[in-house]
């Protein structure tokens, strides 16, 4: 506003006062640096937001004030304002709810705004009030330059970011980590081959840390896979030497004890174990890496009974990883092998039968899948070359994205607080956290995991407890690390 216009406004106020509409002292007094009438005030050079106006004030102009911060509720005392004018002011901070209570306001014409996350509150606030936005527009950033405020889409503001921050270090190296809920409490179990045990952990509400809560002796263990059926707890313990076993706890208060040896003639050198449900019954599939053994499907033999060998899958291929998934409502199994491309099996007539393989996917060590909308995608881990993301097109998996990786043995998708993430581990460099962007349909780098940096990670798993979310990383060359999932609001 120019000097002539300012003088014109001040003259108008003086004329209104001379005409008998001057400020009425019994309804409030005109603050210093302000010129006032019954329902209007013009304040020039105010050191702070003026106070003491009557609640019936309709128009307030702040000119060349020394105010740099508009805090929450700055104008709660004058809710009847219809017009609030700022001229030649410099605000460094406009707090959340700075204009709370002003339901009759607003004219933003002639004011250019930096339309970043700090303005999101205004974009959300405008539709909730009877506000005139005039010609208020964006001065930046470049993609939004000259865009009118009323045409901005709040969903286009990406003001929420996530971070995995170190929380706790836990003991011995591990090859696997599983999280499960038992009797209403979250639990974690680590497969620790060098310590020779499956170590169970629970949340200590007093210390606000994870602490040990029992163990299963298991020399050369590679996987500890839990299964909870009501009050019963089963744990499949897959070991490289000495045979794989099923341990069980029939009910609360009883200790875990060995209950069954599992397919000793087939499971000679297991590398992975997964849980799946087939025809309403729980089953385990154990990937066998030796040529002499076979990948084996073990299913429960009715209530109260153990697990029996339901099917032996292909021999001689040295399977390294098994991944159960569902396609078009049917159970499937994806096997990664040391000697061939990943093979997809379909469950039909009580058996898994080969359906197809995954093209252009040589030397895949492990597979994991996730679902976005109606799409099924798989993360394929390669120790040498690029790891890959592929999408199921109804008949086969096709390449969606290749991600450079070196020394990777785990590429694990996880959903954390509604965000689809994927963690790419490495034996030689930083492990990377990616976030899936729905608009682009691709993974975007979010952060490098650490410090401390995971040392040869082999598994990732998420546990939620006490309103907080934690990521466990089982590391082959170092202790298990726990990271806390944090959300930062950039609009604050």
């Amino acid at each position: 506003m120019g000097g002539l216009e300012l003088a014109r406004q001040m003259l108008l106020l003086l004329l209104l006062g001379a005409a008998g509409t001057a400020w009425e002292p019994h309804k409030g007094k005109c603050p210093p640096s302000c010129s006032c009438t019954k329902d209007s005030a013009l304040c020039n050079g105010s050191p702070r937001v003026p106070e003491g106006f009557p609640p019936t004030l309709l128009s307030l102009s702040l000119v060349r004030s020394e105010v740099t911060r508009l805090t929450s509720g700055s104008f709660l005392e004058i809710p009847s304002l219809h017009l609030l004018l700022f001229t030649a002011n410099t605000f460094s901070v406009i707090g959340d709810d700075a204009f709370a209570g002003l339901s009759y306001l607003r004219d933003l014409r002639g004011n250019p705004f930096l339309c970043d996350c700090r303005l999101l509150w205004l974009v959300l606030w405008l539709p909730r009030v009877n506000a005139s936005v005039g010609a208020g527009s964006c001065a930046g950033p470049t993609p939004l330059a000259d865009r009118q405020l009323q045409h901005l889409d709040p969903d286009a503001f990406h003001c929420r970011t996530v971070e995995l921050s170190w929380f706790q270090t836990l003991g011995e190296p591990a090859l696997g980590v599983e999280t499960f809920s038992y009797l209403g409490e979250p639990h974690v179990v680590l497969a620790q081959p060098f310590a020779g045990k499956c170590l169970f952990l629970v949340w200590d509400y007093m210390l606000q840390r994870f602490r040990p809560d029992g163990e299963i002796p298991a020399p050369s263990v590679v996987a500890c896979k839990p299964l909870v059926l009501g009050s019963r707890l089963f744990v499949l313990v897959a070991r490289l030497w000495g045979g794989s076993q099923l341990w069980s706890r029939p009910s609360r208060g009883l200790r875990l004890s060995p209950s069954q040896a599992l397919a000793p003639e087939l499971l000679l050198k297991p590398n992975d174990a997964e849980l799946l449900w087939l025809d309403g019954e729980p089953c385990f599939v154990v990937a066998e890496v030796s040529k002499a053994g076979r990948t084996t499907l073990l299913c429960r033999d009715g209530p109260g009974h153990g697990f029996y060998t339901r099917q032996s899958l292909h021999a001689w291929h040295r399977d390294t990883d098994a991944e159960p998934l569902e396609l078009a409502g049917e159970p499937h199994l994806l096997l990664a092998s040391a000697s061939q491309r990943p093979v997809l099996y379909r469950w039909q007539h009580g058996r898994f039968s080969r359906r197809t393989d995954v093209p252009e996917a040589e030397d895949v060590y492990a597979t994991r899948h996730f679902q976005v909308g109606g799409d099924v995608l798989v993360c394929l881990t390669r120790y040498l070359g690029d790891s890959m993301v592929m999408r199921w097109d109804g008949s086969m998996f096709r390449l969606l994205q290749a991600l450079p990786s070196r020394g990777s043995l785990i590429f694990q998708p996880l959903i954390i607080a509604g965000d689809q993430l994927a963690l790419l581990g490495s034996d030689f460099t930083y492990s990377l956290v990616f976030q899936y962007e729905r608009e682009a349909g691709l993974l975007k780098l979010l952060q490098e995991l650490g410090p401390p940096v995971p040392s040869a990670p082999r598994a990732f798993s998420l546990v939620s407890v006490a309103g907080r979310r934690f990521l466990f990383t089982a590391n082959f060359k170092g202790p298990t690390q726990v990271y806390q999932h944090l959300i930062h609001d950039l609009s604050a």
Side-chain angles (χ1 to χ4, degrees), residues 179-465:
T179 57
F180 63 100
S181 179
Y182 180 61
L183 299 178
E185 286 294 322
H187 291 69
V188 181
V189 58
L190 300 172
Q192 298 181 327
F194 303 132
K197 60 187 177 184
C198 297
L199 177 65
F200 291 85
L201 303 165
V202 294
W203 178 254
D204 190 313
Y205 287 88
M206 175 105 32
L207 298 177
Q208 295 289 292
R209 287 288 187 272
F210 291 96
R211 62 170 175 81
D213 185 53
E215 60 184 58
I216 293 175
S220 68
V221 64
V222 297
C224 309
K225 198 73 180 180
L227 165 65
V228 177
L229 297 175
S231 62
R232 303 194 68 180
L233 172 63
F234 299 89
V235 181
L236 185 151
V237 180
R239 300 193 296 165
L240 289 178
W241 296 281
S244 298
Q245 295 177 310
L246 186 71
W247 288 62
S248 64
R249 174 187 288 168
S251 62
R252 180 197 295 266
L254 297 179
R255 302 184 65 179
L256 281 162
S257 59
S259 60
Q260 183 185 356
L262 296 173
E265 72 285 0
L266 298 173
L267 300 179
L268 306 179
K269 197 176 180 181
N271 200 66
D272 180 41
E274 299 294 339
L275 173 68
L276 66 163
W277 289 78
L278 298 170
D279 300 331
E281 287 293 334
C283 300
F284 293 104
V285 59
V286 183
E288 172 64 32
V289 78
S290 71
K291 286 186 177 182
R294 287 197 177 192
T295 292
T296 302
L297 179 67
L298 302 158
C299 294
R300 193 180 185 209
D301 188 13
H305 298 282
F307 285 75
Y308 69 100
T309 301
R310 180 73 176 265
Q311 184 181 358
S312 295
L313 281 86
H314 60 217
W316 303 102
H317 288 296
R318 298 161 52 211
D319 294 331
T320 56
D321 185 79
E323 175 70 357
L325 68 162
E326 191 172 277
L327 298 173
E330 295 182 321
H332 284 71
L333 182 65
L334 190 58
L335 290 182
S337 307
S339 59
Q340 63 176 359
R341 295 184 296 194
V343 176
L344 181 68
Y345 290 82
R346 176 166 48 192
W347 182 255
Q348 287 184 319
H349 312 299
R351 298 180 56 82
F352 276 116
S353 57
R354 180 183 174 120
R355 181 171 183 178
T356 185
D357 63 8
V358 180
E360 302 176 9
E362 306 293 341
D363 302 318
V364 171
Y365 177 80
T367 67
R368 294 289 184 271
H369 83 285
F370 65 100
Q371 188 166 339
V372 179
D375 291 329
V376 176
L377 298 93
V378 294
C379 295
L380 306 178
T381 313
R382 301 176 72 197
Y383 192 77
L384 298 175
D386 293 344
S387 291
M388 296 174 286
V389 181
M390 290 190 167
R391 179 189 287 122
W392 178 252
D393 71 355
S395 61
M396 65 176 58
F397 286 102
R398 298 191 183 276
L399 181 64
L400 179 67
Q401 186 177 8
L403 297 169
S405 61
R406 180 171 178 260
S408 296
L409 290 175
I410 180 68
F411 189 11
Q412 174 71 58
L414 289 171
I415 294 180
I416 306 181
D419 294 306
Q420 179 64 66
L421 306 182
L423 295 98
L424 181 61
S426 175
D427 283 12
F428 304 119
T429 184
Y430 289 99
S431 293
L432 303 177
V433 182
F434 295 89
Q435 185 171 19
Y436 184 80
E437 292 193 337
R438 293 178 180 268
E439 295 87 353
L442 299 171
L443 293 175
K444 179 182 179 181
L445 181 62
L446 183 65
Q447 74 174 91
E448 295 176 342
L449 193 57
V453 176
S455 183
R458 292 295 181 267
F460 302 103
S461 191
L462 175 73
V463 61
S464 297
V465 60

